[in-house]
Amino acid sequence: MSNIECNFVAENLSAFVDQELDESISYKIKKHLCNCLDCRRKFSKLLKLQRIIKSYFCGENIGDSSMDLAGVLASVESKF
Amino acid sequence: MDYLRKKDYKKMDLFLLIEEAQGSNQVALEELLRRHEGMVFSTLYHLSANIDNIDDLAQEVLMRIARSIKTLKRKENFKLWMNHIIYNVFYDELRKKKRRPQVLSIDNFYEETPETPQKEIEDLRIHPDEKMKNTELESVIRTAIRDLEEHFREVVVLRELQGLSYEQIAKILDTNVGTVKSRIARARSKLQERLKEYID
């Protein structure tokens, strides 16, 4: 695989994972990933990172039901 | 919708709930806030590296939501609108903190620059409501996110926690999509480096 192509993929891989690229660029990257083992490894690491960060955020319940909502509403009502 | 009971609001579709809250229905407003308080708290918690009054800030966000829900024009923009409020409250607080005189403490014993790792004693306090399992990986991820520079941390939180699109993040941060794209990519590469042993 050419370095130019690999550099292009590396620059856009994160946005590719987020599906934030134009269809034509996504297609180009998909095609490259099929043929380039190095980039495929980078892609799989990025997916893994995204998965653990997302599950870290999703697994949290911090702040759940900790707020005094009645207090918030009462305070808003008293001001307006 | 006076005939509805409180539990009916719990199952109510978000757009309908917003509509009701905009129509001065207090039960609907309370349910709307209840549904989002965890996300508000969590976002503030992750945006901040060292802000200790997150409870107060979260209350302020919820109060602003309650106070200005009627000004929200498009219900489908609620999440974006809420994040604008979170972001404004958070950065107002950050600006205030920066104006406050620094108190010399053991945490300031070392001179910190963006390049040097943080030398401060790790904050081991756990929020009373924190129900998260304190596994080693979670702790490592938390530290890795907190150690990111502010402009990297905020895009990670808005993208991975809030699930916002690049365009929405750009609107909140008042920047362009290209900047968001490169910040997310660079933030991820920093996180990859720090979490190397868990993803290799």
Side-chain angles (χ1 to χ4, degrees):
Chain A
M1 279 294 119
S2 81
N3 268 340
I4 302 169
E5 262 188 43
C6 293
N7 289 343
F8 175 80
V9 170
E11 276 168 24
N12 288 287
L13 207 53
S14 169
F16 176 74
V17 166
D18 288 330
Q19 301 180 353
E20 286 275 355
L21 294 174
D22 290 345
E23 222 170 284
S24 61
I25 300 178
S26 290
Y27 177 73
K28 203 172 161 182
I29 293 176
K30 269 184 213 164
K31 214 169 141 190
H32 178 85
L33 289 177
C34 292
N35 300 307
C36 178
L37 182 62
D38 276 353
C39 288
R40 219 159 45 231
R41 281 191 182 136
K42 284 181 192 161
F43 175 58
S44 122
K45 279 184 193 174
L46 201 54
L47 282 180
K48 207 167 172 187
L49 173 78
Q50 197 192 32
R51 201 166 53 236
I52 63 169
I53 299 287
K54 269 186 196 292
S55 57
Y56 164 72
F57 282 134
C58 291
E60 289 188 325
N61 285 313
I62 49 171
D64 242 11
S65 303
S66 63
M67 299 289 130
D68 171 17
L69 293 184
V72 168
L73 291 171
S75 156
V76 172
E77 276 167 22
S78 66
K79 283 182 185 168
F80 295 88
Chain B
M1 290 199 183
D2 288 343
Y3 52 88
L4 288 179
R5 283 171 299 177
K6 212 166 183 175
K7 67 172 187 180
D8 297 321
Y9 287 92
K10 288 190 194 298
K11 290 178 259 168
M12 192 179 272
D13 166 74
L14 179 64
F15 289 173
L16 192 55
L17 197 61
I18 294 170
E19 212 169 276
E20 283 295 309
Q22 288 181 319
S24 302
N25 181 333
Q26 288 297 298
V27 186
L29 182 58
E30 193 173 333
E31 171 59 20
L32 184 67
L33 298 181
R34 194 199 59 76
R35 274 190 207 178
H36 293 91
E37 59 173 324
M39 186 54 100
V40 168
F41 189 94
S42 195
T43 306
L44 287 165
Y45 175 84
H46 289 293
L47 275 176
S48 67
N50 52 12
I51 285 182
D52 45 18
N53 54 341
I54 295 177
D55 269 334
D56 296 338
L57 296 187
Q59 291 270 3
E60 174 64 21
V61 170
L62 295 176
M63 231 181 291
R64 287 195 197 183
I65 293 174
R67 214 183 287 157
S68 50
I69 187 70
K70 287 182 185 174
T71 66
L72 174 68
K73 287 186 182 125
R74 297 176 63 190
K75 293 183 282 285
E76 55 273 32
N77 283 346
F78 176 76
K79 201 172 175 184
L80 181 62
W81 177 79
M82 179 182 79
N83 276 288
H84 264 294
I85 296 177
I86 297 174
Y87 186 82
N88 286 339
V89 167
F90 177 71
Y91 283 97
D92 282 351
E93 176 64 16
L94 213 61
R95 275 191 289 272
K96 274 188 231 159
K97 284 232 165 193
K98 278 178 185 163
R99 280 201 297 269
R100 283 175 205 150
Q102 290 287 311
V103 178
L104 187 65
S105 74
I106 192 168
D107 294 351
N108 296 338
F109 195 71
Y110 300 91
E111 195 182 330
E112 281 178 21
T113 68
E115 287 76 34
T116 54
Q118 288 200 335
K119 303 286 199 308
E120 66 188 23
I121 296 169
E122 199 189 342
D123 186 359
L124 296 173
R125 286 171 303 169
I126 295 174
H127 190 277
D129 294 302
E130 188 172 331
K131 295 164 192 160
M132 178 174 63
K133 285 177 200 162
N134 219 352
T135 63
E136 183 198 333
L137 178 59
E138 280 169 345
S139 161
V140 174
I141 296 173
R142 186 189 307 126
T143 307
I145 293 172
R146 288 194 161 202
D147 283 350
L148 287 174
E149 289 144 281
E150 204 171 291
H151 56 285
F152 290 136
R153 191 167 56 244
E154 63 190 11
V155 290
V156 169
V157 171
L158 293 173
R159 175 69 206 175
E160 307 293 22
L161 174 65
Q162 292 282 5
L164 297 180
S165 70
Y166 286 12
E167 202 182 334
Q168 288 174 320
I169 297 172
K171 274 186 190 159
I172 290 173
L173 302 180
D174 195 23
T175 187
N176 57 59
V177 172
T179 303
V180 172
K181 179 183 160 189
S182 83
R183 281 188 194 167
I184 291 177
R186 289 187 60 199
R188 281 180 176 153
S189 128
K190 282 169 186 278
L191 288 174
Q192 259 181 327
E193 190 54 43
R194 285 164 198 181
L195 301 170
K196 213 172 177 175
E197 63 178 289
Y198 300 94
I199 48 179
D200 277 351

